[in-house]
Amino acid sequence: MTAVATPEAPPSSPAAPRREPRWMRLSLVALLAATAALYVWDLSASGWANSFYSAAAQAGSQSWKALFFGSSDAANGITVDKTPAALWVMSLSARLFGVNSWSILVPQALMGVGATWLTYATVRRTSGAATGLLAGTVLALTPAAALIFRFNNPDALLVLLLVAAAYCTVRAIEKASPKWLVLAGMAVGFGFLAKMLQTFLVVPGFALAYLVAAPTGPGKRLLHLLSAGVALIVSAGWYLAVVALWPAADRPYIGGSQNNSLLELTLGYNGFGRITGDETGSVGGGAGGGWGSTGLFRLFGSEMAGGIAWLLPAAVLALGAGLWFTRRAPRTDHSRAALLIWGGWLIVTAAVFSLMGGIIHPYYTVALAPAIAALVGTAIVQLWRLRDDPVASGLLSGGLALSAVTTYVLLLRESSWLPWLAPTVLIIGLFTSVALFFSSHLSRVAARSLAVVGLVALLAGTGAYAVATATTPHSGAIPSAGPSSNRGMPGGGGMRGGGGPAGGLLGTSSPGTALTALLTQNTGKYTWAAATVGSNNAAGYQLASGQPVLAVGGFNGTDPYPTLEQFQQYVHDGKIHYLLGEGMTVFGGNSSGSDLSQQIVDWVAANYQSTTVDGVVVYDLTP
């Protein structure tokens, strides 16, 4: 929206934001300190959080090769099924501070504080410091953010890098700076190393904003975008090239792929397969669906809404209102450019998440949080400044009412959790929204008091849910926001004969003291203390013992590594001490990919005697 030139609002196309008063700087410090407290408080309650990545960080702390490739184990048998940038951060932290819950999770919390600060800094450049503070607050109080910035999935680094790219794009648009645009491309490219193709969903909005608003001729705009595209490709592609050129016999197998190819993983299982649902090696999904209903209202469904939907309708309304109020602004108007950046980010990402037929989990929605925060924060402040206009006043009032109703509906789904909150937010929100429509006729003190009440009503639901998320331990492969730590965890998947100590596909094994002691005996004689089907099973044994455990078949147990012949050779050469468990059951009754892991287990069961230790079937593979 076109900003009004007041002491609190910068011109619509500032060369740089003016220096804020001291109270504003103190407010920023308070926001960042509160965000840090929310994301760090009692962080170790989640233990290893996602043990799949914690075990890989442990491996990276023991082996530089494991760190570079993102190996699941320090002996470099197989990698995780992602590019490893997020693991680089965790592994280095574990090298410095030891392998523990804090060393692995604190970097994610710091990324959350950094993302909050960068959101403030980005919004501040186009809409002023007050707007930036509000946007940063909305981001910090988004439940999906409170989940992921206290967890060790790659999404924390992804979000930080995408907000950094947005900041660089805003700086580039101010003076048609190719340097800043190249930096934006590099940030997006490095984001690829965190979570592969998902990072590219923001590119259309960023490119459109620069193409429309940069203060230079169309030829230079296109040339600058081309330069940024080259920077993106180089910063993302160098790692693909190194892995492709590295001799396969001298590196770990690429987990998640069927042909030991990082490019295949990028374009297939973690790429277009996520859109179509045709993901070889996936379990529980498959072509045509299997990961929940698709459609425009998917983000408001029971699995995803709690993490992100609280202010999503208000953000869409804010985008529409902003484009309306800037419809007659000059081409280079920075307020409209910001709308294109954040709005493009929101629309493209939300559309893909809503319609994709492949693997998707509720925590993915954290990628929407910065765009929602920026759009809502900008709209609130700008509509408040324009409240003498009946249209602006009506939009401000309607946005609050819409958010109050959305919050009420979402809280009704949690009828046993703070049952008083839903009706309270609805009543206060609707009452305040009506009063806001007439706020221009009130005294300055009364109007500002009303605005404060409106903000409290707006943020009460998402804020309470974020605090509940932060104060609830979360673990496993599929965390979800909210007061229940096992929310969104589908059933299925397990080790036959394993019992409680075995984790299965999505859970993590929890070995007892006797089994842990067994895994730590004579470790110098073996490359792997043990092997087991599935990465989560391997992770629990590895974290407990501190010794490499080979994840047969990778995360799902469906990767063609090792082959039966390779495993037999490993056993013949005395590289594997034990096989743990009796094989993986099919998750959801539907699988694809290799069945080599079951062949390996069948061969071991036919040739070696088993014992049971702490409820886990153990085969001693000693010749």
Side-chain angles (χ1 to χ4, degrees), residues 143-155:
L147 171 70
I148 287 301
F149 291 128
R150 293 175 56 88
F151 210 73
N152 59 325
N153 281 10
D155 303 71

Side-chain angles (χ1 to χ4, degrees), residues 164-510:
Y167 175 82
C168 293
T169 303
V170 167
R171 294 294 302 267
I173 290 173
E174 288 175 359
K175 295 183 178 179
S177 168
K179 177 188 73 174
W180 280 105
L181 198 62
V182 164
L183 288 174
M186 292 175 63
V188 173
F190 198 75
F192 169 86
L193 299 182
K195 211 175 178 195
M196 308 185 92
L197 292 187
Q198 183 185 332
T199 190
F200 297 156
L201 296 179
V202 301
V203 171
F206 292 3
L208 178 62
Y210 192 85
L211 190 61
V212 168
T216 189
K220 285 190 175 181
R221 277 177 269 158
L222 289 171
L223 183 61
H224 294 172
L225 284 172
L226 179 61
S227 300
V230 171
L232 187 157
I233 292 172
V234 171
S235 57
W238 71 268
Y239 187 79
L240 290 174
V242 169
V243 174
L245 295 173
W246 201 291
D250 191 41
R251 61 163 171 79
Y253 185 92
I254 303 301
S257 75
Q258 296 296 306
N259 297 309
N260 197 13
S261 167
L262 186 57
L263 183 61
E264 177 212 334
L265 178 65
T266 300
L267 299 178
Y269 181 78
N270 279 337
F272 298 109
R274 297 287 172 123
I275 306 297
T276 65
D278 187 9
E279 301 169 280
T280 302
S282 170
V283 288
W291 293 98
S293 300
T294 60
L296 295 178
F297 295 100
R298 187 185 212 176
L299 297 177
F300 296 94
S302 58
E303 289 189 355
M304 294 190 178
I308 201 64
W310 306 86
L311 299 178
L312 180 55
V316 175
L317 179 64
L319 176 59
L323 293 175
W324 171 261
F325 276 97
T326 59
R327 68 192 185 279
R328 295 191 179 94
R331 178 184 65 81
T332 57
D333 180 72
H334 284 201
S335 296
R336 183 172 55 207
L339 289 169
L340 295 177
I341 289 172
W342 301 113
W345 178 336
L346 176 66
I347 290 173
V348 174
T349 305
V352 170
F353 286 175
S354 297
L355 302 176
M356 60 191 285
I359 296 173
I360 184 171
H361 301 309
Y363 65 83
Y364 288 11
T365 57
V366 70
L368 295 166
I372 292 174
L375 289 169
V376 170
T378 299
I380 289 174
V381 175
Q382 301 291 42
L383 289 174
W384 175 256
R385 291 167 178 161
L386 298 172
R387 65 188 182 278
D388 287 340
D389 184 333
V391 175
S393 183
L395 288 169
L396 184 64
S397 175
L400 178 57
L402 181 62
S403 298
V405 172
T406 303
T407 297
Y408 177 75
V409 171
L410 295 183
L411 288 175
L412 284 183
R413 298 176 181 176
E414 299 284 350
S415 57
S416 62
W417 178 74
L418 300 183
W420 55 269
L421 186 58
T424 300
V425 170
L426 182 65
I427 293 171
I428 295 177
L430 292 179
F431 174 81
T432 307
S433 68
V434 173
L436 277 174
F437 186 75
F438 303 99
S439 59
S440 61
H441 303 288
L442 301 176
S443 68
R444 187 172 184 179
V445 173
R448 290 191 171 185
S449 299
L450 189 65
V452 171
V453 175
L455 284 175
V456 171
L458 183 79
L459 298 177
T462 182
Y465 215 73
V467 172
T469 299
T471 54
T472 301
H474 292 81
S475 61
I478 310 178
S480 190
S484 176
S485 62
N486 60 355
R487 174 185 307 279
M489 286 289 291
M495 296 291 287
R496 292 199 300 269
L505 177 69
L506 299 176
T508 302
S509 54
S510 301

Side-chain angles (χ1 to χ4, degrees), residues 565-576:
E565 292 75 15
Q566 284 176 311
F567 190 87
Q568 290 170 336
Q569 189 65 49
Y570 291 157
V571 173
H572 178 270
D573 294 341
K575 292 184 176 182
I576 305 175

